[in-house]
Amino acid sequence: MSRIYNFSAGPAVLPEEVLKEAAEEMLDYRGCGMSVMEMSHRSKVYETIIKEAEADLRELMNIPDNYRVLFLQGGASQQFAAIPMNLMKNKVADYIVTGQWAKKAFQEAQIYGKANKIASSEDETFSYIPDCSDLPVSQDADYVYICENNTIYGTKFKTLPNTKGKTLVADVSSCFLSEPVDVTKYGLLYGGVQKNIGPAGVVIVIIREDLITEVTLPGTPTMLKYKTHADAESLYNTPPAYGIYICGKVFKWLKKMGGLEIMKQRNEEKAKILYDFLDESKLFRGTVRKEDRSLMNVPFVTGDDQLDAKFVKEAKAAGLENLKGHRSVGGMRASIYNAMPKEGVEALVAFMKKFEEENK
């Protein structure tokens, strides 16, 4: 059976050569006689895997020495609680709400202290990024929080907010490694890996060392303290070992491709093909303000629910999978992460043109 073009928002498409390599090593990892899935996370062989993965990620993102890289579990959603538990020393934090996940993080933070919503785009179904150049940042805020790329709504912060000296915390789940990033602009950035990096089950947290302290909110579980995992170098308990191994392979693939500068060019090229078509189409239209469009997630609609459903069904039959929009917004969404080849986007646009002709 031939592989389909998988436009899923996550778990998402992975580079084919990474999957082939993992398949070759499935029964016997480099002569050790067993699979990575079976080996002890305390073994020398596994220690090399996780250390190499971290070193490659540091190189790709140019992560400074005063930042720690943690490979954790619980997905991005668990970080909605871990962040306030670890960082809310004054019990005050400011949230910029630009989508479903930022909203959930904001709601979770309210359990632990005073969370202020200092900007939002909910008034227009999260179809834009608000102006964040001069926000009412709270004087005693412990941090300012954003979700940098909004998977469901297809928006992206092109300019980071002016946090007026406060620590910036960002959920980068759906734009992780899609373009170069200046890590020093963040106190903490994190993301679930199941969109651009690996299989579901791993979340990567990149955190500045001064934010990792003994002092957390009373009642913070040991497993949710960043210090627990930093001190144990992500091996406090059994980590999602196989997932981290695949992440490591994707980091090597990204290095081989030429790094994040090259990925950004590739991603811009792919997104342009789809957005250019949407801008001239008589049937389909994008749902996001042009200047805030994501390179990773492209939502679009026909304006007719039945036609949308017909499109999704016929696209699936044509080998273009997972184009149905998120249940909260409907329509369609094409997620075109790093591993989606340009051919996949071209095939989608060709199909959309054909569909438009047939459904005038």
Side-chain angles (χ1 to χ4, degrees), residues 36-104:
V36 176
M37 225 179 251
E38 307 168 287
M39 71 176 53
S40 164
H41 62 295
R42 305 281 177 213
S43 65
K44 275 276 167 266
V45 186
Y46 191 74
E47 191 186 347
T48 305
I49 291 172
I50 193 168
K51 287 264 189 295
E52 227 171 83
E54 180 178 335
D56 286 337
L57 180 62
R58 284 185 172 278
E59 188 185 324
L60 278 166
M61 291 180 74
N62 202 7
I63 300 172
D65 291 344
N66 65 324
Y67 282 75
R68 299 296 298 270
V69 173
L70 310 176
F71 293 97
L72 306 176
Q73 302 177 60
S77 296
Q78 186 158 286
Q79 295 306 310
F80 298 167
I83 287 160
M85 284 176 162
N86 284 271
L87 304 188
M88 245 192 195
K89 312 293 190 216
N90 299 325
K91 292 209 166 182
V92 180
D94 289 350
Y95 280 70
I96 297 167
V97 178
T98 52
Q100 195 97 329
W101 303 113
K103 189 177 176 178
K104 286 189 171 176

Side-chain angles (χ1 to χ4, degrees), residues 52-341:
E52 227 171 83
E54 180 178 335
D56 286 337
L57 180 62
R58 284 185 172 278
E59 188 185 324
L60 278 166
M61 291 180 74
N62 202 7
I63 300 172
D65 291 344
N66 65 324
Y67 282 75
R68 299 296 298 270
V69 173
L70 310 176
F71 293 97
L72 306 176
Q73 302 177 60
S77 296
Q78 186 158 286
Q79 295 306 310
F80 298 167
I83 287 160
M85 284 176 162
N86 284 271
L87 304 188
M88 245 192 195
K89 312 293 190 216
N90 299 325
K91 292 209 166 182
V92 180
D94 289 350
Y95 280 70
I96 297 167
V97 178
T98 52
Q100 195 97 329
W101 303 113
K103 189 177 176 178
K104 286 189 171 176
F106 167 64
Q107 287 165 339
E108 190 77 11
Q110 290 168 359
I111 300 169
Y112 304 102
K114 184 170 186 255
N116 305 304
K117 190 196 293 185
I118 56 168
S120 170
S121 53
E122 195 162 9
D123 60 334
E124 291 182 33
T125 329
F126 299 124
S127 59
Y128 70 100
I129 296 290
D131 177 1
C132 296
S133 57
D134 185 17
L135 295 171
V137 176
S138 312
Q139 280 192 315
D140 52 352
D142 291 298
Y143 57 87
V144 175
Y145 181 103
I146 62 168
C147 178
E148 198 165 316
N149 187 86
N150 296 284
T151 325
I152 295 175
Y153 300 94
T155 58
K156 164 84 163 68
F157 279 84
K158 303 292 168 72
T159 309
L160 293 175
N162 173 4
T163 63
K164 302 186 177 172
K166 300 296 180 189
T167 299
L168 178 65
V169 172
D171 174 353
V172 296
S173 293
S174 53
C175 57
F176 225 156
L177 300 182
S178 62
E179 58 184 25
V181 56
D182 180 354
V183 174
T184 63
K185 290 184 173 168
Y186 308 81
L188 183 156
L189 63 161
Y190 75 95
V193 306
Q194 70 278 8
K195 299 171 187 299
N196 244 338
I197 308 175
V202 185
V203 61
I204 296 172
V205 172
I206 300 165
I207 178 171
R208 209 172 56 223
E209 273 180 342
D210 62 283
L211 296 172
I212 304 171
T213 63
E214 292 283 4
V215 185
T216 55
L217 293 187
T220 301
T222 304
M223 277 295 286
L224 288 189
K225 291 178 180 173
Y226 292 133
K227 193 164 185 351
T228 301
H229 300 287
D231 288 352
E233 300 192 324
S234 300
L235 294 167
Y236 174 73
N237 68 327
T238 310
Y242 194 79
I244 294 167
Y245 152 78
I246 299 287
C247 292
K249 289 212 173 296
V250 172
F251 301 153
K252 291 213 181 299
W253 176 77
L254 286 166
K255 281 171 65 175
K256 187 176 138 192
M257 298 298 286
L260 302 191
E261 202 53 71
I262 299 297
M263 291 321 291
K264 184 183 186 195
Q265 289 167 19
R266 281 172 47 120
N267 289 326
E268 284 174 342
E269 194 185 341
K270 287 188 303 193
K272 187 178 185 322
I273 295 167
L274 185 46
Y275 284 126
D276 282 355
F277 171 69
L278 286 171
D279 289 343
E280 63 186 37
S281 169
K282 299 276 188 287
L283 179 63
F284 298 99
R285 65 174 179 84
T287 57
V288 172
R289 190 165 75 181
K290 275 189 188 179
E291 56 268 36
D292 299 325
R293 285 170 165 176
S294 165
L295 293 180
M296 298 282 99
N297 311 99
V298 184
F300 56 96
V301 293
T302 63
D304 177 331
D305 291 349
Q306 280 174 315
L307 206 51
D308 286 354
K310 183 181 184 209
F311 175 83
V312 171
K313 189 179 171 196
E314 290 181 10
K316 183 181 168 75
L320 306 167
E321 282 270 6
N322 296 312
L323 282 162
K324 191 172 192 285
H326 190 271
R327 61 188 178 277
S328 63
V329 288
M332 283 74 68
R333 171 181 53 176
S335 293
I336 49 177
Y337 299 123
N338 284 342
M340 171 58 68

